[in-house]
């Protein structure tokens, strides 16, 4: 709007584009390393600035009217290919960048018009100062929180929210940058300030909303982990109580057995003594704990849940092949298996409440194949068991455990799947087993 030679236009275009790239780079996650990112942005900037200058020379009037929008649209398309953020998140960050672009553009123009008689150099200096201040504030106060916010938005932001936000910002900034309004009045300045306030408030509200939603989900996951730990402690206490009770019973029975053996020995009834000892050995073997697999932690937790399932008259079948030591920490294995087993038992109990005569079963298979660990768990479930976003709804799993399973699976770049196959709930999981030094050798 201030005019000037093509050199001046090139400088102003270059400062605006460089500022836009800088601001977007601060808040986005780059797809490439630093060197490649700089090279790609440099090549893109030279091509875009050349096109803008040619346009300025050929048709000055149309160029000054819409060049800012045109350049930003081109930048937006290129920037999305340079960022590894999801599409919705990239759109949100581009909308924020567009708002900041409008701030330093309008600030430069208004200061130049109001205080320096439309001096283009005043506009250039103000733009540089504004870009520097905004960059400093983003780097110091916003960057860390917006990176944290990005994790939440990736899962929570929806199409409607993005569309409404972008439309509002485009209308607000579009009104401010309207080239047909050339008269500078106090009313015009009030309109500019009001529009900036409203669009900025919209950005802040969206930011605070999804940051709050994301943190609430994090607290919910932590709560579920605490509840899961409580259940595991309860299972361990059950195992301990059973061991203590078994020890008391053994000590009580040993006194009787010793008395019987002593009586046989006193009477010289060797054949009867041997027969009694064989029966005692058989009785002892029948009470040995079931060995499910070589991994002791997994063996204990599966044994505890299997006893619980059988108390509920649930038929349990297991095919578990695990080595004694696995590169996946036991706490992570237990998190997955305990939650899966607990949810399976809960599903069967709900079926018995609905139809007491229906037979319930649980089938669990765990097997390692090279550097993969495969887990398959199926159980009888209610026919109306529903899934949302590929995950069972909380009311069909007891409300606990699924998020813990998913979080642990993602920790090892795992793939998981839930489905209801006509009253049989199926959970499948494949985990990548971290390589150890022994594996590399």
């Amino acid at each position: 709007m201030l005019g000037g030679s093509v050199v001046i236009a090139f400088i102003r275009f270059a400062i605006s584009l460089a500022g836009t790239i800088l601001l977007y780079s601060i808040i986005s996650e780059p797809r490439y390393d630093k060197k490649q990112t700089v090279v790609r942005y440099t090549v893109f900037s030279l091509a875009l600035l050349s096109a803008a200058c040619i346009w300025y020379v050929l048709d000055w009037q149309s160029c000054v009217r819409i060049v800012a929008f045109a350049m930003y649209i081109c930048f937006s398309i290129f920037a999305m290919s340079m960022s590894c953020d999801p599409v919705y998140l990239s759109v949100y960050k581009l909308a924020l960048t567009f708002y900041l672009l409008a701030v330093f553009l309008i600030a430069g123009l208004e200061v130049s018009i109001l205080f320096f008689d439309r001096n283009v150099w005043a506009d250039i200096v103000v733009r540089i100062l504004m870009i520097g201040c905004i960059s400093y504030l983003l780097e110091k106060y916003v960057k860390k929180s917006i990176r944290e916010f990005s994790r939440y938005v990736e899962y929570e932001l929806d199409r409607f929210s993005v569309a409404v936000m972008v439309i509002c910002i485009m209308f607000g900034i579009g009104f401010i940058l309207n080239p047909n309004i050339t008269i500078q009045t106090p009313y015009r300045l009030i309109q500019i300030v009001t529009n900036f306030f409203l669009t900025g408030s919209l950005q802040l509200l969206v930011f605070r909303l999804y940051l709050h939603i994301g943190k609430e989900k994090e607290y919910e996951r932590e709560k579920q982990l605490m509840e899961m730990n409580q259940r595991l402690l309860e299972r361990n206490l059950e195992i301990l109580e059973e061991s203590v009770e078994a020890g008391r019973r053994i000590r009580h029975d040993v006194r009787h057995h010793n008395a019987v053996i002593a009586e046989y020995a006193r009477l010289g009834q060797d054949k009867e003594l041997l027969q009694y000892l064989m029966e005692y050995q058989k009785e002892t073997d029948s009470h040995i704990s079931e060995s499910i697999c070589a991994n002791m932690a997994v063996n204990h937790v599966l044994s505890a849940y299997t006893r619980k399932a059988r108390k509920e008259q649930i038929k349990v079948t297991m095919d578990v092949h695990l080595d004694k030591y696995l590169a996946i920490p036991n706490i992570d294995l237990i998190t997955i298996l305990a939650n899966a087993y607990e949810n399976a038992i809960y599903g069967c109990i709900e079926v018995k409440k609905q139809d007491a005569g229906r037979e319930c079963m649980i089938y669990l298979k765990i097997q390692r194949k090279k550097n993969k660990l495969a887990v398959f768990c199926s159980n009888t479930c209610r026919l109306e068991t529903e899934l949302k976003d590929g995950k069972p709804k909380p009311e069909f799993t007891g409300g606990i455990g699924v998020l813990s399973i998913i979080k642990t699976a993602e920790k090892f770049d795992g793939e998981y799947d839930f489905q209801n196959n006509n009253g049989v709930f199926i959970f499948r999981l494949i985990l990548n087993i971290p390589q150890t030094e022994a594996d590399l050798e």
Side-chain angles (χ1 to χ4, degrees), residues 13-59:
F13 293 159
I15 292 172
S16 300
L17 183 58
T20 304
I21 293 173
L22 176 61
L23 298 178
Y24 182 74
S25 299
I26 291 174
I27 62 176
S28 67
E29 293 286 349
R31 185 184 298 272
Y32 307 101
D33 59 45
K34 188 174 182 179
K35 183 178 180 181
Q36 287 192 52
T37 301
V38 171
V39 171
R40 290 170 183 265
Y41 270 126
T42 300
V43 173
F44 167 77
S45 300
L46 291 175
L48 186 61
L49 290 172
S50 299
C53 288
I54 293 172
W55 184 8
Y56 186 84
V57 172
L58 295 177
D59 189 353

Side-chain angles (χ1 to χ4, degrees), residues 270-283:
D270 297 338
K271 186 180 292 184
E272 289 80 358
L273 176 58
L274 289 174
Q275 179 65 27
Y276 179 78
L277 290 175
M278 290 175 64
E279 292 176 358
Y280 179 65
Q281 181 65 39
K282 186 183 295 184
E283 178 70 14

Side-chain angles (χ1 to χ4, degrees), residues 108-119 184-186 189:
L109 289 171
E110 294 301 325
V111 169
S112 175
I113 293 171
L114 293 175
F115 301 105
F116 296 96
D117 194 24
R118 295 179 175 268
N119 187 291
Q184 301 298 319
T185 63
L189 294 178

Side-chain angles (χ1 to χ4, degrees), residues 166-312:
V166 172
I167 290 172
C168 291
I169 292 174
M170 292 294 288
F171 272 115
I173 304 303
F175 177 80
I176 295 172
L177 294 176
N178 186 356
N180 293 319
I181 301 178
T182 57
I183 301 174
Q184 301 298 319
T185 63
Y187 178 68
R188 163 68 174 164
L189 294 178
I190 293 173
Q191 285 182 318
I192 291 175
V193 173
T194 302
N195 271 275
F196 272 127
F197 174 77
L198 292 176
T199 50
S201 299
L202 175 63
Q203 290 277 352
L204 181 61
L205 287 173
V206 171
F207 176 81
R208 297 296 301 175
L209 171 65
Y210 285 102
L211 188 63
H212 174 74
I213 292 174
K215 287 186 176 181
E216 186 178 357
K217 290 293 180 68
E218 285 291 327
Y219 295 148
E220 183 181 345
R221 294 188 186 99
E222 291 176 4
K223 176 176 175 288
Q224 289 183 349
L225 287 174
M226 292 175 65
E227 291 175 346
M228 183 207 68
N229 290 332
Q230 180 182 353
R231 290 184 320 197
L232 291 179
L233 286 173
E234 290 173 355
R235 297 290 87 79
N236 288 332
L237 285 174
E238 288 178 8
I239 295 172
L240 181 60
E241 289 173 357
E242 290 175 0
S243 300
V244 171
E245 184 62 30
R248 290 174 181 171
R249 187 178 64 252
I250 290 171
R251 286 192 300 272
H252 180 268
D253 293 342
V254 162
R255 291 197 299 268
H256 298 291
H257 291 309
N258 287 340
V260 173
I261 292 171
E263 185 64 20
Y264 276 127
R266 188 179 66 81
L267 296 174
Q269 297 175 337
D270 297 338
K271 186 180 292 184
E272 289 80 358
L273 176 58
L274 289 174
Q275 179 65 27
Y276 179 78
L277 290 175
M278 290 175 64
E279 292 176 358
Y280 179 65
Q281 181 65 39
K282 186 183 295 184
E283 178 70 14
T284 303
D285 291 342
S286 66
H287 288 88
I288 295 175
S289 299
E290 180 182 4
S291 179
I292 299 173
C293 67
N295 188 294
M296 295 303 295
V298 174
N299 190 81
H300 288 326
V301 75
L302 292 184
S303 297
Y305 279 105
T306 300
R307 286 193 294 273
K308 181 180 178 181
R310 287 172 178 165
K311 286 179 182 177
E312 299 290 342

